Amino acid sequence: MWLTFNGTTLSMSNGTDEYIDSYANFEADSGLSVPAIHIGYISTYYEPTITHTWNTKDRADPQAMPWAEGDAILANFDATVAARDARLAPDPFDVAKQAKLDNHATGDRAAEDTPVTYELNDYDATEGALTEINSIATYVLGGETLPAGFTWITTYNIEVPFTALNVKELFVLIAKKHYQDAHKYAGLTKQVEAATTVAEIEAIPDW
């Protein structure tokens, strides 16, 4: 184990874990005070039974061992680290809330990649597909006639002959899906934002 501090920061290690923090946080975590640095020195280093020095920029001056104050700090290492970890641990409510929001966002993105089925064929229903079918539906609703042999391509790249009615019906189907997905996402997000406990968060359905 070793210990060092330099006037603002204290560091120590047990060989596996390491603690590095400000004096204020160390004292809050450990309940101990950081020993004062001797006048003329900028840091100290202590490794029980091996070395104990007070250091300037140019030299390391050996000190007596054992060092009671350093031993007390190192003896309290596990408790100090546990207190730091508890202090830094995220709030369980914040963790649960973010996890639920992430689940809903992932579900919403995946939903966009889910095709719609129209007359036994699957068709893309992404935002781009909606824009594309909307442009054709607008063309048709404006009184224009589709060119002879007009087709629409399925999710699996099969060309299917389409009439003006087919265009209108597929547009409505894709638009309805987008509305339902957006409404579902907004509703779930509203529930999450209104929740005030972890239990309330966990009770909200996943996507």
Side-chain angles (χ1 to χ4, degrees):
M1 300 183 78
W2 56 262
L3 163 70
T4 184
F5 49 89
N6 60 11
T8 58
T9 302
L10 181 144
S11 305
M12 57 180 173
S13 172
N14 65 356
T16 302
D17 294 325
E18 190 167 306
Y19 181 98
I20 304 174
D21 218 318
S22 67
Y23 277 20
N25 284 337
F26 165 75
E27 292 178 352
D29 292 337
S30 68
L32 301 173
S33 297
V34 181
I37 291 180
H38 293 184
I39 295 174
Y41 294 97
I42 60 174
S43 69
T44 188
Y45 180 84
Y46 179 56
E47 195 169 352
T49 74
I50 297 177
T51 187
H52 177 204
T53 61
W54 289 100
N55 311 307
T56 69
K57 292 181 179 180
D58 306 312
R59 69 181 191 276
D61 293 341
Q63 305 294 312
M65 291 191 294
W67 181 32
E69 291 175 300
D71 288 335
I73 290 173
L74 290 174
N76 200 46
F77 179 87
D78 289 343
T80 303
V81 169
R84 176 204 61 191
D85 291 347
R87 171 170 55 84
L88 297 178
D91 186 289
F93 175 78
D94 292 338
V95 172
K97 179 178 180 178
Q98 190 59 54
K100 189 66 70 171
L101 289 171
D102 289 345
N103 172 272
H104 294 162
T106 299
D108 184 49
R109 289 192 297 270
E112 184 174 338
D113 294 329
T114 303
V116 296
T117 300
Y118 174 68
E119 293 192 352
L120 304 181
N121 286 305
D122 290 340
Y123 295 91
D124 290 346
T126 63
E127 193 71 40
L130 177 61
T131 299
E132 187 176 6
I133 193 72
N134 180 49
S135 66
I136 304 301
T138 301
Y139 176 82
V140 170
L141 291 171
E144 301 295 334
T145 303
L146 293 174
F150 181 83
T151 62
W152 201 255
I153 300 175
T154 71
T155 299
Y156 306 105
N157 295 317
I158 299 172
E159 290 191 65
V160 178
F162 253 46
T163 65
L165 178 61
N166 295 144
V167 169
K168 295 175 186 177
E169 290 179 343
L170 181 59
F171 165 69
V172 170
L173 189 62
I174 295 176
K176 181 179 178 181
K177 178 182 182 300
H178 274 261
Y179 169 79
Q180 291 172 334
D181 289 344
H183 184 74
K184 178 180 179 180
Y185 182 64
L188 289 171
T189 300
K190 185 177 181 180
Q191 291 182 60
V192 173
E193 295 298 342
T196 58
T197 67
V198 172
E200 289 177 354
I201 291 288
E202 293 176 344
I204 299 170
D206 287 342
W207 183 273

